[in-house]
Amino acid sequence: MSKQTFNALDTSRIIEMAWEDRTPFEAIEQLYGLNHSQLVNFMRKEMSAGSFKTWRKRHNGRVTKHLKLRSPDILRSHCKTQYKPR
């Protein structure tokens, strides 16, 4: 598998999506081609060690981050107030 490179905007968006509670890992894979293990390696490379540890601890086992584990009642990928018009 070839190593993917992302521009600064894509890198920022991937990190943002990875931190969001309701954005499933599958959405990141669909948009950017990073499966879960590749995303973990990406986050490890792009963030400080402390931030990476915090991210891993926060998302380890979080059911909303995996489509197969999340409740079918969750229909949105983000909070209604997360994206406000500019």
Side-chain angles (χ1 to χ4, degrees):
M1 175 179 230
S2 64
K3 187 169 180 146
Q4 293 174 292
T5 57
F6 299 100
N7 63 35
L9 187 61
D10 286 340
T11 297
S12 177
R13 183 62 184 134
I14 293 167
I15 292 170
E16 180 182 18
M17 290 175 75
W19 273 101
E20 293 170 345
D21 290 339
R22 289 183 176 244
T23 301
F25 293 126
E26 292 86 354
I28 297 170
E29 183 172 9
Q30 183 179 13
L31 290 172
Y32 295 101
L34 296 173
N35 64 32
H36 187 261
S37 63
Q38 291 169 323
L39 178 62
V40 170
N41 289 332
F42 175 86
M43 296 293 278
R44 182 180 286 121
K45 181 181 133 234
E46 295 297 329
M47 298 189 326
S48 69
S51 293
F52 174 75
K53 287 179 185 179
T54 301
W55 175 76
R56 286 294 285 165
K57 184 177 180 181
R58 178 174 171 80
H59 289 96
N60 189 24
R62 187 173 291 265
V63 296
T64 58
K65 292 300 284 184
H66 297 277
L67 286 178
K68 291 181 180 179
L69 301 177
R70 76 193 296 177
S71 167
D73 297 335
I74 299 174
L75 302 175
R76 298 182 323 270
S77 64
H78 58 276
C79 173
K80 288 187 260 185
T81 61
Q82 182 175 354
Y83 298 108
K84 297 178 179 144
R86 295 179 187 215

mmCIF file of all heavy atoms in Angstrom, residues 44-69:
data_model
loop_
_atom_site.group_PDB
_atom_site.id
_atom_site.type_symbol
_atom_site.label_atom_id
_atom_site.label_comp_id
_atom_site.label_asym_id
_atom_site.label_seq_id
_atom_site.Cartn_x
_atom_site.Cartn_y
_atom_site.Cartn_z
ATOM 1 N N ARG A 44 -0.984 9.660 15.465
ATOM 2 C CA ARG A 44 0.267 9.572 16.234
ATOM 3 C C ARG A 44 1.336 10.466 15.605
ATOM 4 O O ARG A 44 2.075 11.158 16.306
ATOM 5 C CB ARG A 44 0.748 8.121 16.285
ATOM 6 C CG ARG A 44 2.007 7.930 17.105
ATOM 7 C CD ARG A 44 2.450 6.472 17.137
ATOM 8 N NE ARG A 44 1.576 5.710 18.011
ATOM 9 C CZ ARG A 44 0.858 4.652 17.637
ATOM 10 N NH1 ARG A 44 0.904 4.236 16.381
ATOM 11 N NH2 ARG A 44 0.104 4.009 18.488
ATOM 12 N N LYS A 45 1.388 10.480 14.275
ATOM 13 C CA LYS A 45 2.398 11.266 13.555
ATOM 14 C C LYS A 45 2.097 12.771 13.590
ATOM 15 O O LYS A 45 3.002 13.586 13.722
ATOM 16 C CB LYS A 45 2.455 10.781 12.106
ATOM 17 C CG LYS A 45 3.472 11.475 11.247
ATOM 18 C CD LYS A 45 3.421 10.926 9.839
ATOM 19 C CE LYS A 45 3.399 12.069 8.898
ATOM 20 N NZ LYS A 45 2.443 12.240 7.931
ATOM 21 N N GLU A 46 0.825 13.134 13.511
ATOM 22 C CA GLU A 46 0.443 14.535 13.358
ATOM 23 C C GLU A 46 0.253 15.294 14.668
ATOM 24 O O GLU A 46 0.222 16.519 14.659
ATOM 25 C CB GLU A 46 -0.836 14.646 12.526
ATOM 26 C CG GLU A 46 -0.692 14.183 11.091
ATOM 27 C CD GLU A 46 0.286 15.021 10.286
ATOM 28 O OE1 GLU A 46 0.418 16.229 10.577
ATOM 29 O OE2 GLU A 46 0.912 14.474 9.366
ATOM 30 N N MET A 47 0.108 14.597 15.784
ATOM 31 C CA MET A 47 -0.159 15.262 17.055
ATOM 32 C C MET A 47 0.996 15.046 18.029
ATOM 33 O O MET A 47 1.798 14.138 17.854
ATOM 34 C CB MET A 47 -1.454 14.711 17.685
ATOM 35 C CG MET A 47 -2.654 14.972 16.831
ATOM 36 S SD MET A 47 -4.255 14.593 17.583
ATOM 37 C CE MET A 47 -3.994 13.231 18.609
ATOM 38 N N SER A 48 1.022 15.881 19.045
ATOM 39 C CA SER A 48 2.024 15.676 20.100
ATOM 40 C C SER A 48 1.706 14.385 20.832
ATOM 41 O O SER A 48 0.572 13.891 20.784
ATOM 42 C CB SER A 48 2.011 16.848 21.079
ATOM 43 O OG SER A 48 0.805 16.840 21.831
ATOM 44 N N ALA A 49 2.673 13.838 21.527
ATOM 45 C CA ALA A 49 2.481 12.576 22.242
ATOM 46 C C ALA A 49 1.360 12.677 23.271
ATOM 47 O O ALA A 49 0.523 11.779 23.388
ATOM 48 C CB ALA A 49 3.788 12.152 22.916
ATOM 49 N N GLY A 50 1.307 13.789 23.996
ATOM 50 C CA GLY A 50 0.270 13.968 25.006
ATOM 51 C C GLY A 50 -1.120 14.059 24.399
ATOM 52 O O GLY A 50 -2.072 13.463 24.908
ATOM 53 N N SER A 51 -1.247 14.804 23.299
ATOM 54 C CA SER A 51 -2.539 14.924 22.622
ATOM 55 C C SER A 51 -2.974 13.587 22.048
ATOM 56 O O SER A 51 -4.153 13.224 22.114
ATOM 57 C CB SER A 51 -2.467 15.958 21.502
ATOM 58 O OG SER A 51 -2.281 17.243 22.033
ATOM 59 N N PHE A 52 -2.022 12.840 21.492
ATOM 60 C CA PHE A 52 -2.350 11.528 20.948
ATOM 61 C C PHE A 52 -2.851 10.601 22.049
ATOM 62 O O PHE A 52 -3.869 9.918 21.881
ATOM 63 C CB PHE A 52 -1.141 10.904 20.244
ATOM 64 C CG PHE A 52 -1.394 9.498 19.795
ATOM 65 C CD1 PHE A 52 -2.184 9.254 18.681
ATOM 66 C CD2 PHE A 52 -0.883 8.425 20.500
ATOM 67 C CE1 PHE A 52 -2.451 7.954 18.273
ATOM 68 C CE2 PHE A 52 -1.134 7.130 20.100
ATOM 69 C CZ PHE A 52 -1.913 6.890 18.982
ATOM 70 N N LYS A 53 -2.183 10.570 23.191
ATOM 71 C CA LYS A 53 -2.620 9.722 24.303
ATOM 72 C C LYS A 53 -4.010 10.112 24.782
ATOM 73 O O LYS A 53 -4.848 9.256 25.070
ATOM 74 C CB LYS A 53 -1.628 9.794 25.463
ATOM 75 C CG LYS A 53 -0.343 9.057 25.193
ATOM 76 C CD LYS A 53 0.615 9.187 26.360
ATOM 77 C CE LYS A 53 1.936 8.549 26.028
ATOM 78 N NZ LYS A 53 2.905 8.674 27.123
ATOM 79 N N THR A 54 -4.276 11.412 24.852
ATOM 80 C CA THR A 54 -5.601 11.892 25.260
ATOM 81 C C THR A 54 -6.657 11.447 24.253
ATOM 82 O O THR A 54 -7.737 10.983 24.623
ATOM 83 C CB THR A 54 -5.604 13.425 25.399
ATOM 84 O OG1 THR A 54 -4.625 13.802 26.368
ATOM 85 C CG2 THR A 54 -6.964 13.944 25.811
ATOM 86 N N TRP A 55 -6.359 11.577 22.967
ATOM 87 C CA TRP A 55 -7.292 11.164 21.918
ATOM 88 C C TRP A 55 -7.576 9.673 21.995
ATOM 89 O O TRP A 55 -8.728 9.256 21.947
ATOM 90 C CB TRP A 55 -6.738 11.547 20.546
ATOM 91 C CG TRP A 55 -7.582 11.041 19.410
ATOM 92 C CD1 TRP A 55 -8.771 11.561 18.996
ATOM 93 C CD2 TRP A 55 -7.307 9.928 18.569
ATOM 94 N NE1 TRP A 55 -9.251 10.827 17.943
ATOM 95 C CE2 TRP A 55 -8.374 9.820 17.659
ATOM 96 C CE3 TRP A 55 -6.262 9.002 18.497
ATOM 97 C CZ2 TRP A 55 -8.433 8.831 16.680
ATOM 98 C CZ3 TRP A 55 -6.310 8.015 17.526
ATOM 99 C CH2 TRP A 55 -7.382 7.940 16.632
ATOM 100 N N ARG A 56 -6.534 8.872 22.134
ATOM 101 C CA ARG A 56 -6.717 7.416 22.202
ATOM 102 C C ARG A 56 -7.540 7.021 23.425
ATOM 103 O O ARG A 56 -8.436 6.178 23.342
ATOM 104 C CB ARG A 56 -5.371 6.689 22.246
ATOM 105 C CG ARG A 56 -4.653 6.659 20.938
ATOM 106 C CD ARG A 56 -5.368 5.844 19.894
ATOM 107 N NE ARG A 56 -5.192 4.432 20.173
ATOM 108 C CZ ARG A 56 -5.912 3.454 19.640
ATOM 109 N NH1 ARG A 56 -6.874 3.735 18.795
ATOM 110 N NH2 ARG A 56 -5.689 2.205 19.938
ATOM 111 N N LYS A 57 -7.251 7.632 24.554
ATOM 112 C CA LYS A 57 -7.993 7.322 25.771
ATOM 113 C C LYS A 57 -9.462 7.705 25.604
ATOM 114 O O LYS A 57 -10.362 6.966 25.997
ATOM 115 C CB LYS A 57 -7.375 8.056 26.958
ATOM 116 C CG LYS A 57 -8.011 7.727 28.280
ATOM 117 C CD LYS A 57 -7.287 8.436 29.412
ATOM 118 C CE LYS A 57 -7.939 8.104 30.739
ATOM 119 N NZ LYS A 57 -7.291 8.796 31.848
ATOM 120 N N ARG A 58 -9.706 8.872 25.009
ATOM 121 C CA ARG A 58 -11.076 9.363 24.835
ATOM 122 C C ARG A 58 -11.887 8.493 23.888
ATOM 123 O O ARG A 58 -13.072 8.257 24.100
ATOM 124 C CB ARG A 58 -11.035 10.795 24.318
ATOM 125 C CG ARG A 58 -12.402 11.388 24.056
ATOM 126 C CD ARG A 58 -12.279 12.865 23.691
ATOM 127 N NE ARG A 58 -13.524 13.399 23.238
ATOM 128 C CZ ARG A 58 -14.514 13.792 24.032
ATOM 129 N NH1 ARG A 58 -14.385 13.691 25.331
ATOM 130 N NH2 ARG A 58 -15.627 14.272 23.535
ATOM 131 N N HIS A 59 -11.283 8.021 22.812
ATOM 132 C CA HIS A 59 -12.038 7.294 21.795
ATOM 133 C C HIS A 59 -11.920 5.784 21.877
ATOM 134 O O HIS A 59 -12.564 5.082 21.106
ATOM 135 C CB HIS A 59 -11.646 7.796 20.407
ATOM 136 C CG HIS A 59 -12.169 9.168 20.159
ATOM 137 N ND1 HIS A 59 -11.404 10.285 20.371
ATOM 138 C CD2 HIS A 59 -13.383 9.607 19.784
ATOM 139 C CE1 HIS A 59 -12.135 11.347 20.114
ATOM 140 N NE2 HIS A 59 -13.335 10.972 19.765
ATOM 141 N N ASN A 60 -11.149 5.273 22.787
ATOM 142 C CA ASN A 60 -11.034 3.826 22.934
ATOM 143 C C ASN A 60 -12.367 3.246 23.418
ATOM 144 O O ASN A 60 -12.829 3.553 24.497
ATOM 145 C CB ASN A 60 -9.922 3.478 23.923
ATOM 146 C CG ASN A 60 -9.625 2.008 23.936
ATOM 147 O OD1 ASN A 60 -9.890 1.307 22.970
ATOM 148 N ND2 ASN A 60 -9.066 1.537 25.035
ATOM 149 N N GLY A 61 -13.010 2.461 22.586
ATOM 150 C CA GLY A 61 -14.259 1.826 22.950
ATOM 151 C C GLY A 61 -15.496 2.692 22.834
ATOM 152 O O GLY A 61 -16.588 2.276 23.201
ATOM 153 N N ARG A 62 -15.362 3.905 22.325
ATOM 154 C CA ARG A 62 -16.524 4.802 22.180
ATOM 155 C C ARG A 62 -17.402 4.271 21.048
ATOM 156 O O ARG A 62 -16.996 4.214 19.897
ATOM 157 C CB ARG A 62 -16.052 6.213 21.879
ATOM 158 C CG ARG A 62 -17.181 7.237 21.886
ATOM 159 C CD ARG A 62 -16.620 8.636 21.762
ATOM 160 N NE ARG A 62 -15.896 9.020 22.947
ATOM 161 C CZ ARG A 62 -16.416 9.713 23.967
ATOM 162 N NH1 ARG A 62 -17.662 10.085 23.925
ATOM 163 N NH2 ARG A 62 -15.684 10.045 24.997
ATOM 164 N N VAL A 63 -18.632 3.876 21.391
ATOM 165 C CA VAL A 63 -19.498 3.225 20.407
ATOM 166 C C VAL A 63 -19.934 4.150 19.278
ATOM 167 O O VAL A 63 -20.226 3.676 18.178
ATOM 168 C CB VAL A 63 -20.738 2.574 21.062
ATOM 169 C CG1 VAL A 63 -20.328 1.467 21.994
ATOM 170 C CG2 VAL A 63 -21.592 3.593 21.769
ATOM 171 N N THR A 64 -19.996 5.443 19.504
ATOM 172 C CA THR A 64 -20.432 6.345 18.437
ATOM 173 C C THR A 64 -19.381 6.494 17.336
ATOM 174 O O THR A 64 -19.686 7.011 16.272
ATOM 175 C CB THR A 64 -20.776 7.745 18.985
ATOM 176 O OG1 THR A 64 -19.641 8.284 19.650
ATOM 177 C CG2 THR A 64 -21.967 7.693 19.913
ATOM 178 N N LYS A 65 -18.168 6.040 17.574
ATOM 179 C CA LYS A 65 -17.114 6.158 16.566
ATOM 180 C C LYS A 65 -17.105 4.970 15.599
ATOM 181 O O LYS A 65 -16.383 4.977 14.615
ATOM 182 C CB LYS A 65 -15.739 6.278 17.226
ATOM 183 C CG LYS A 65 -15.523 7.583 17.976
ATOM 184 C CD LYS A 65 -15.650 8.807 17.101
ATOM 185 C CE LYS A 65 -14.456 9.042 16.228
ATOM 186 N NZ LYS A 65 -14.557 10.285 15.445
ATOM 187 N N HIS A 66 -17.919 3.951 15.850
ATOM 188 C CA HIS A 66 -17.982 2.775 14.979
ATOM 189 C C HIS A 66 -19.428 2.558 14.548
ATOM 190 O O HIS A 66 -20.303 2.385 15.392
ATOM 191 C CB HIS A 66 -17.472 1.534 15.704
ATOM 192 C CG HIS A 66 -16.036 1.616 16.102
ATOM 193 N ND1 HIS A 66 -15.013 1.327 15.238
ATOM 194 C CD2 HIS A 66 -15.462 1.977 17.266
ATOM 195 C CE1 HIS A 66 -13.856 1.485 15.863
ATOM 196 N NE2 HIS A 66 -14.098 1.888 17.095
ATOM 197 N N LEU A 67 -19.696 2.571 13.254
ATOM 198 C CA LEU A 67 -21.062 2.433 12.767
ATOM 199 C C LEU A 67 -21.728 1.146 13.238
ATOM 200 O O LEU A 67 -22.911 1.135 13.543
ATOM 201 C CB LEU A 67 -21.087 2.494 11.239
ATOM 202 C CG LEU A 67 -20.886 3.865 10.615
ATOM 203 C CD1 LEU A 67 -20.893 3.763 9.093
ATOM 204 C CD2 LEU A 67 -21.947 4.844 11.077
ATOM 205 N N LYS A 68 -20.976 0.052 13.312
ATOM 206 C CA LYS A 68 -21.561 -1.226 13.718
ATOM 207 C C LYS A 68 -21.965 -1.237 15.187
ATOM 208 O O LYS A 68 -22.812 -2.019 15.585
ATOM 209 C CB LYS A 68 -20.589 -2.369 13.445
ATOM 210 C CG LYS A 68 -20.388 -2.637 11.976
ATOM 211 C CD LYS A 68 -19.443 -3.784 11.750
ATOM 212 C CE LYS A 68 -19.263 -4.019 10.273
ATOM 213 N NZ LYS A 68 -18.343 -5.103 10.000
ATOM 214 N N LEU A 69 -21.372 -0.385 16.005
ATOM 215 C CA LEU A 69 -21.653 -0.370 17.432
ATOM 216 C C LEU A 69 -22.650 0.709 17.839
ATOM 217 O O LEU A 69 -23.260 0.612 18.900
ATOM 218 C CB LEU A 69 -20.352 -0.167 18.223
ATOM 219 C CG LEU A 69 -19.263 -1.202 18.028
ATOM 220 C CD1 LEU A 69 -18.030 -0.812 18.820
ATOM 221 C CD2 LEU A 69 -19.747 -2.584 18.441
#
